[in-house]
Structures are given as structure tokens and as C-alpha cells.
Amino acid sequence: MSFLGRIFNRKPPGEELQVPPQPLPQRNDACWCGSRKKYKKCHLEADQRQLTRIREREQACSPVFG
Ligand SMILES: [Zn+2]
């Protein structure tokens, strides 16, 4: 494998499905990621999206018939 190929095959850790910690911080609290920003200005939207995606995945796994 080429040198460039090795670099591009390495996945950055942020690419993984990151589950936000529970309980989530309040909107005006400091974000859980340690950025010292308010949660609503940092991970709030990303967490909502992530939780929606996780919920959708769980629903897709469970049977919906009947
Ligand atoms: Zn954050």
C-alpha cells in the first residue's frame, strides 16, 4: 500500500457514531465536550441529530408489524 493510501485509509476518531452522555447538559450549561462553550452553542444541535439517528436505527431493528 502506498504512503498516501495509508493516510487516507485512517479514519479520524470523530467519524464514529458518538453517543452524547446522559443526562445531557442544560442549554446554558457548559458543554460536556470541555470546549467551555455553552451547550446550546456547541453540541446541542449535533446531539439532537445524533439522538434522532440512534432512535431511528433502534426502530429499524425492532419489528414494527402487528
Ligand atoms: Zn461541545
Side-chain angles (χ1 to χ4, degrees):
M1 194 184 282
S2 73
F3 177 62
L4 278 178
R6 251 184 293 166
I7 288 180
F8 284 109
N9 273 331
R10 201 183 301 160
K11 248 188 172 183
E15 289 288 303
E16 298 299 319
L17 190 66
Q18 194 185 14
V19 182
Q22 303 282 345
L24 291 171
Q26 298 295 304
R27 300 172 71 86
N28 286 313
D29 281 355
C31 185
W32 51 262
C33 74
S35 67
R36 295 160 98 183
K37 285 189 230 170
K38 290 191 174 180
Y39 181 52
K40 64 179 178 184
K41 295 210 169 188
C42 192
H43 270 87
L44 176 66
E45 276 185 41
D47 283 357
Q48 299 301 332
R49 237 176 296 141
Q50 200 70 278
L51 289 173
T52 306
R53 213 189 292 172
I54 293 168
R55 229 170 282 145
E56 279 170 1
R57 190 189 275 191
E58 281 171 0
Q59 280 172 6
C61 286
S62 58
V64 274
F65 309 104

